[in-house]
Amino acid sequence: MKKDFLKLTDLTRDEITGLLRRAIDLKAGKDASLCPLMGKNIGLFFEKPSTRTRVSFEAGIYQLGGNAICMTPAELQLGRGETMADTARTLSRYLHAIMMRTFSHETIEAFALNSSIPVINGLSDLRHPCQALADAMTLLETKGAVEGLKVAYVGDGNNVCNSLIEAASVLSFNLAIACPEGFEPHTEILEDARAAARSEIVILRDPREAAGMADAVYTDVWVSMGQEDTAEEKKRKFSEYQINARLLSCAKKDVIVLHCLPAHRGEEITDEVMDGPHSAVFDQAENRLHTQKALLELLLSPRQ
Ligand code: CP
Ligand code: NVA
């Protein structure tokens, strides 16, 4: 039966820890000559722009011996009214898997329901599970273990935050989220994660309290793709939620700074922090490549 990756919890804790170990091996060049995707076509579907997701998937698929086919709705008959269900039924006949970046999470779910191939969520308005895999790998390679760490997420309770919450629950790291009132993460995702977690996941208002003695401090843009009409309101409400040197001084001495990118320098993060000695943001971006290769292997060519 096909296996989808629409949310982090579609994989078990064991599958995720195995995937992270495999990604670290792939990064070290182990089995670099294996081509588990030889002869396979992987679709990459984008309703929104992308730098990291698009290029890391395309490069990774090539490195694994497969072929990537990029698509946008305007280029497909979707733009002329063909349904997502019929598109899914058709593309399943050509492709071995598809990665999708959509506005609505329901669009990906509808596609997955009507397709016979694995569907990977490459970001929806609700979740960004591929990002969470790279986040966890970055924590693992810099800190040696993920369990028991304290991660502070400062900013909008958005798709990236929702998937980080699911990662905290599955991988047992503590997560302190600081956000303004009205910008909390998704209620059900938070409740489910807390119910399953052995670690602590808390919502705070004070970024300094969240960052206190943190092993990692994470942020994302205040205004996500498709929410541009909220920009002015958010810039006002989030002005105290910037990762800057003062905030970082509350964290542990060896804190790492994470950002899924793209960053709006001078808004949610200063240049000084982004380019400073604690920043792991470009390792985190690189780790998208390694974790997604391990994910494709797991979904399409599981190792015995
Ligand atoms: N972090 C991330 O998903 O980046 P892109 O929007 O560039 O793909
Ligand atoms: N929250 C951001 C993440 C971009 C990778 C967005 O959805 O635009």
Side-chain angles (χ1 to χ4, degrees):
M1 211 180 88
K2 69 142 175 169
K3 194 170 174 63
D4 296 320
F5 185 61
L6 308 191
K7 54 184 190 297
L8 197 86
T9 49
D10 285 340
L11 298 182
T12 64
R13 181 188 167 92
D14 284 351
E15 283 172 328
I16 293 173
T17 51
L19 184 156
L20 297 176
R21 275 198 304 273
R22 179 69 184 137
I24 284 172
D25 280 352
L26 286 168
K27 187 171 185 174
K30 201 170 163 206
D31 297 340
S33 63
L34 294 182
C35 289
L37 298 189
M38 183 68 87
K40 295 193 168 148
N41 287 297
I42 315 298
L44 303 177
F45 175 89
F46 289 97
E47 285 183 355
K48 307 186 210 185
S50 168
T51 298
R52 280 142 288 270
T53 305
R54 155 117 197 228
V55 180
S56 59
F57 264 106
E58 208 168 323
I61 290 163
Y62 179 78
Q63 287 170 7
L64 295 176
N67 179 51
I69 302 175
C70 278
M71 295 163 266
T72 65
E75 296 157 354
L76 302 177
Q77 296 287 12
L78 272 171
R80 294 182 54 252
E82 187 170 21
T83 67
M84 196 47 100
D86 287 347
T87 305
R89 292 181 189 114
T90 306
L91 293 183
S92 295
R93 306 292 179 108
Y94 311 135
L95 302 173
H96 295 84
I98 187 165
M99 188 284 319
M100 303 184 75
R101 168 166 288 195
T102 62
F103 286 96
S104 160
H105 192 71
E106 285 79 45
T107 304
I108 304 187
E109 287 180 332
F111 191 101
L113 200 66
N114 290 285
S115 80
S116 56
I117 54 173
V119 179
I120 297 170
N121 179 358
L123 180 147
S124 68
D125 282 355
L126 191 62
R127 290 183 167 96
H128 198 359
C130 290
Q131 183 64 52
L133 291 177
D135 303 342
M137 176 177 173
T138 311
L139 289 170
L140 182 61
E141 69 180 358
T142 53
K143 302 292 173 190
V146 176
E147 190 165 340
L149 292 178
K150 178 183 178 186
V151 177
Y153 178 93
V154 177
D156 191 22
N158 60 16
N159 45 8
V160 167
C161 182
N162 288 332
S163 286
L164 192 67
I165 288 170
E166 295 185 322
S169 173
V170 176
L171 297 173
S172 303
F173 60 86
N174 300 298
L175 182 58
I177 296 160
C179 62
E181 205 175 331
F183 297 93
E184 292 82 9
H186 191 266
T187 308
E188 209 176 302
I189 290 178
L190 183 63
E191 281 171 5
D192 288 352
R194 276 180 173 155
R198 284 184 285 156
S199 54
E200 210 177 43
I201 304 171
V202 294
I203 308 286
L204 305 166
R205 296 286 167 236
D206 181 0
R208 293 175 70 85
E209 189 183 348
M213 293 308 284
D215 296 286
V217 178
Y218 195 149
T219 192
D220 183 16
V221 289
W222 295 336
V223 181
S224 286
M225 290 180 277
Q227 301 173 359
E228 287 74 14
D229 56 338
T230 63
E232 284 318 307
E233 180 201 359
K234 279 193 153 168
K235 274 182 204 164
R236 265 183 284 112
K237 293 199 169 150
F238 281 77
S239 61
E240 299 301 311
Y241 291 81
Q242 184 188 63
I243 300 195
N244 50 37
R246 201 166 72 93
L247 183 65
L248 217 55
S249 68
C250 305
K252 283 193 183 155
K253 291 231 163 337
D254 63 349
V255 64
I256 59 163
V257 173
L258 300 173
H259 191 313
C260 61
L261 304 179
H264 283 179
R265 288 168 174 260
E267 290 187 11
E268 76 277 0
I269 192 165
T270 59
D271 284 332
E272 185 187 10
V273 169
M274 179 113 164
D275 301 326
H278 296 283
S279 176
V281 302
F282 295 108
D283 294 317
Q284 187 185 0
E286 177 183 337
N287 290 340
R288 293 290 305 276
L289 173 70
H290 309 299
T291 46
Q292 288 160 191
K293 284 169 71 179
L295 175 67
L296 287 165
E297 265 190 6
L298 179 71
L299 298 181
L300 288 172
S301 178
R303 290 148 64 84
Q304 300 313 313

